[in-house]
Amino acid sequence: MSVVSGPVRVRFAPSPTGYLHIGGVRTALFNWLFARHYGGQFVLRIEDTDEKRFVDDAAADIMASLRWAGLDWDEGPDIGGPFGPYVQSQRHAEGIYATYSTQLLEAGLAYMSFTTEEELAQMRAAAEAQGIKSFRFRGPERAWPLEQQQEMAARGRPFTIRLKTPLEGETRFQDLVRGGDQIVVQHSQLQDIVLIKASGMPVYHFAHLVDDHLMQITHVMRAEEWVPSTPYHVLLYHAFGWNLPVFAHLPVILRQDGKGKLSKRKDDILTNRFWERGYLPEAMFNYLALQGWSYDDHTELMSRDEIIERFTIERVQPSPARWNPDKLKDLNGLYIRRLTTEQVAERLLPYLTKAGLIADPPTADERAYVVSLTPLIHERLVELSEAPDLLEFFFREPSPGPEGYDPALLVPKKMEAAQTAELLRAAHEALSQVKIWGIEQVEAALRALVARLEVKPGPLFGAIRVAVSGRTVAPPLFEMLVALGRERTLARLERGYTALG
RNA sequence: GCCCCCAUAGUCUAGCGGCCUAGGACGUCACCCUUUCAAGGUGAAGAUCGCGGGUUCGAAUCCCGCUGGGGGUACCA
């Protein structure tokens, strides 16, 4: 029997204070999978109540990142929906939060607090100086009648609205990911948190909760870092007399070194970087699904549809996972190899264009050429962005010397330069006589040369490889020569032995 | 400091009282294939299931303590 019954409405509610990192995508992904698996709705809501850290293009970037990862939403800022608007600053402008904070004020469950930030900072410092272990703020106004609070406000004193947290007792709540036991927090550990800032803008604790209620969110799936503040949320639901959503706190993704959670400030884990670096969204999707969720004891490679079908909250585990780029790379390579030549070629074009190897947009000839080159590197690719480097010598002439590659690379181990030059000259001679420039013919000619000169294939092929590509590591030789064409092959061999004197 | 959460190899994980002499994957190493590099194939090393107590005929699995790690402690989210 499933632990989930009834309708399902979940949301992903990022704040546009920075670009999306993969931890954020994972949270979005799990919400999305949950909605898709149980046939519910996935809502995107922008929580832009942080006026200080607001980043102008962050919301657009976040949405682009989600789309890249293959996530779509049923309701959101760009497409609207029955519970709009889906941007908190707009909802604030409509007076939604003020309506509800007033309700709490009138019920005596919240109060206007006239203590300023500066005063609060001083109080905290003073407490610390006195060796007081933990400072929990409860404003003196919690005892005031509402009229007195309003009088102060009328006199122009700036105020925040704080939750009047109970002094005694405890709050408990259940978490779907942690199952079993309830999480219990003593009220003595709480303080009177700010609900509405002096600017009139609500804080997360208040805004998200009002919106979750109004948008009829049934399951709140968010990162584990929210567990400690959940008691405040439970208290608020009770204050309003609203039904609680089901909580499911997802394990955080730890940094690669295990020291702390992923941060937006570290740009190597920003989602938009993964497109640039040549990651396939389907590989990222698969990788992220496996961060905190598993299907069984051996299945890892799964399509989007398979994951949707198999995803259940029961199989989400509570312990944090560590960011593992090696694993992602492995999956990416696996996914690249599963694509057809044409599909890979198509995905390679933007990277080649960006590197300036082909035109923007690519011509028909360039496209065809890239399709013909793709098999040479297809199974060698781990990141699509490696393609320009691997294919560069097909588009630009490598030359021995200070401007190009080191001529010493031409000379195989245990061999002299003059000897190598002879080898390359012989190869030039042999290849210039090949009638049909095909893989079999080129191979036959070079194998015959190996036999005739009584040399090992390794050193000879190695010298040719360098002469033709300017590097010691390259795609298979015969395929490479054929893709290069007779003219360019011969010209490069000649330049090779000329450089060796 | 205080509060909360978590705990199986370097990493991600399977395991939800006997199928475990702990399974899979990444990474590492070796060998095979081979013109380089990959890919692929075969195999290996790597976990006293963090430690200590219980409960039970029997514990990686349940309970308690400790330790370690992580998170929170803002008029940030």
Side-chain angles (χ1 to χ4, degrees):
Chain A
M1 198 187 78
S2 171
V3 297
V4 177
S5 58
V8 164
R9 277 178 63 80
V10 292
R11 46 52 169 190
F12 178 58
S15 78
T17 52
Y19 305 130
L20 242 209
H21 65 71
I22 48 148
V25 184
R26 203 283 307 265
T27 299
L29 173 65
F30 278 32
N31 273 285
W32 183 88
L33 286 170
F34 188 75
R36 295 292 172 260
H37 177 84
Y38 294 103
Q41 286 95 46
F42 175 64
V43 177
L44 179 67
R45 186 174 69 220
I46 299 297
E47 309 212 322
D48 55 347
T49 53
D50 187 340
E51 300 136 299
K52 290 178 188 142
R53 297 191 304 167
F54 182 79
V55 174
D56 206 34
D57 59 339
D61 181 85
I62 288 167
M63 291 198 270
S65 291
L66 292 174
R67 284 202 193 87
W68 173 78
L71 306 184
D72 56 350
W73 41 97
D74 304 302
E75 299 165 28
D78 53 338
I79 56 173
F83 301 96
Y86 293 87
V87 178
Q88 288 186 330
S89 58
Q90 293 171 21
R91 300 175 69 76
H92 172 60
E94 290 186 4
I96 292 174
Y97 308 113
T99 303
Y100 288 94
S101 59
T102 301
Q103 188 179 322
L104 249 28
L105 239 29
E106 285 170 353
L109 297 167
Y111 62 93
M112 296 178 186
S113 170
F114 300 94
T115 307
T116 64
E117 276 187 276
E118 294 71 32
E119 288 168 341
L120 207 54
Q122 282 171 15
M123 290 163 76
R124 268 193 262 268
E128 197 176 337
Q130 285 174 41
I132 293 173
K133 300 163 289 190
S134 52
F135 176 79
R136 300 179 216 290
F137 182 74
R138 320 252 188 182
E141 304 88 344
R142 28 183 302 141
W144 295 7
L146 182 56
E147 294 70 35
Q148 191 181 347
Q149 298 169 30
Q150 286 166 333
E151 270 174 41
M152 276 284 266
R155 273 185 265 145
R157 281 284 294 273
F159 64 92
T160 59
I161 296 177
R162 288 180 182 270
L163 178 66
K164 196 185 287 182
T165 54
L167 301 171
E168 294 172 347
E170 61 186 33
T171 286
R172 11 181 105 229
F173 61 97
Q174 198 107 27
D175 184 291
L176 219 44
V177 172
R178 267 140 273 270
D181 297 337
Q182 298 204 78
I183 295 171
V184 185
V185 175
Q186 299 302 316
H187 291 159
S188 58
Q189 297 298 328
L190 270 26
Q191 55 180 337
D192 290 352
I193 54 162
V194 168
L195 265 20
I196 305 287
K197 308 176 198 179
S199 66
M201 188 69 95
V203 299
Y204 169 85
H205 300 297
F206 192 67
H208 94 275
L209 187 136
V210 168
D211 288 344
D212 282 350
H213 175 256
L214 294 177
M215 294 181 181
Q216 297 174 18
I217 298 302
T218 58
H219 296 73
V220 170
M221 298 178 66
R222 82 244 280 198
E224 192 191 354
E225 65 218 41
W226 293 107
V227 170
S229 50
T230 302
Y232 293 112
H233 307 158
V234 173
L235 249 18
L236 272 169
Y237 277 107
H238 290 333
F240 282 119
W242 295 339
N243 288 331
L244 255 61
V246 176
F247 294 107
H249 289 96
L250 308 172
V252 294
I253 298 181
L254 266 26
R255 286 170 21 180
Q256 199 181 346
D257 61 9
K259 301 206 180 300
K261 59 176 183 173
L262 251 28
S263 157
K264 294 175 189 177
R265 261 60 72 177
K266 299 264 291 179
D267 68 354
D268 59 334
I269 45 88
L270 289 178
T271 312
N272 51 20
R273 282 300 168 104
F274 288 91
W275 178 86
E276 292 172 19
R277 283 166 49 189
Y279 282 84
L280 266 40
E282 44 274 59
M284 181 60 93
F285 188 100
N286 198 152
Y287 171 79
L288 251 20
L290 260 13
Q291 295 300 291
W293 174 82
S294 63
Y295 176 58
D296 59 15
D297 64 343
H298 65 278
T299 311
E300 288 198 334
L301 215 57
M302 288 174 274
S303 70
R304 162 187 317 260
D305 286 346
E306 285 169 331
I307 294 173
I308 291 173
E309 192 194 322
R310 298 167 178 178
F311 184 87
T312 57
I313 200 75
E314 291 93 324
R315 295 200 61 89
V316 174
Q317 65 143 28
S319 58
R322 204 182 282 204
W323 167 239
N324 184 352
D326 280 341
K327 183 73 181 180
L328 209 215
K329 278 187 184 180
D330 178 64
L331 276 175
N332 203 50
L334 242 30
Y335 271 91
I336 289 175
R337 274 172 253 133
R338 297 177 88 196
L339 296 176
T340 64
T341 298
E342 288 70 21
Q343 289 170 326
V344 176
E346 195 60 35
R347 301 214 197 192
L348 251 29
L349 293 173
Y351 298 94
L352 298 172
T353 298
K354 198 178 165 199
L357 296 180
I358 58 176
D360 184 15
T363 66
D365 281 353
E366 284 172 335
R367 296 178 91 95
Y369 191 43
V370 172
V371 170
S372 73
L373 295 179
T374 299
L376 303 192
I377 60 166
H378 189 164
E379 66 183 18
R380 266 157 265 265
L381 283 173
V382 171
E383 300 177 339
L384 296 176
S385 54
E386 296 165 343
D389 179 57
L390 292 173
L391 296 177
E392 187 188 15
F393 63 88
F394 285 104
F395 298 91
R396 291 177 184 154
E397 288 300 310
S399 57
E403 299 296 304
Y405 64 91
D406 180 359
L409 293 176
L410 288 164
V411 185
K413 283 196 182 84
K414 296 181 200 167
M415 221 179 256
E416 302 296 320
Q419 209 180 349
T420 307
E422 279 314 305
L423 233 41
L424 290 174
R425 217 181 289 272
H428 183 278
E429 165 73 17
L431 288 172
S432 64
Q433 284 169 25
V434 172
K435 299 274 190 305
I436 301 167
W437 197 252
I439 293 171
E440 283 175 34
Q441 293 80 355
V442 167
E443 175 164 10
L446 290 176
R447 297 271 181 214
L449 185 66
V450 166
R452 187 159 58 78
L453 298 179
E454 295 183 337
V455 294
K456 287 187 175 171
L460 173 66
F461 294 172
I464 297 174
R465 174 177 303 107
V466 173
V468 139
S469 68
R471 54 184 69 194
T472 54
V473 174
L477 190 64
F478 314 123
E479 286 86 338
M480 182 164 77
L481 298 187
V482 170
L484 212 47
R486 183 204 301 268
E487 298 312 313
R488 288 197 289 175
T489 297
L490 294 177
R492 290 180 190 190
L493 285 174
E494 188 177 345
R495 247 179 290 152
Y497 64 70
T498 304
L500 290 173

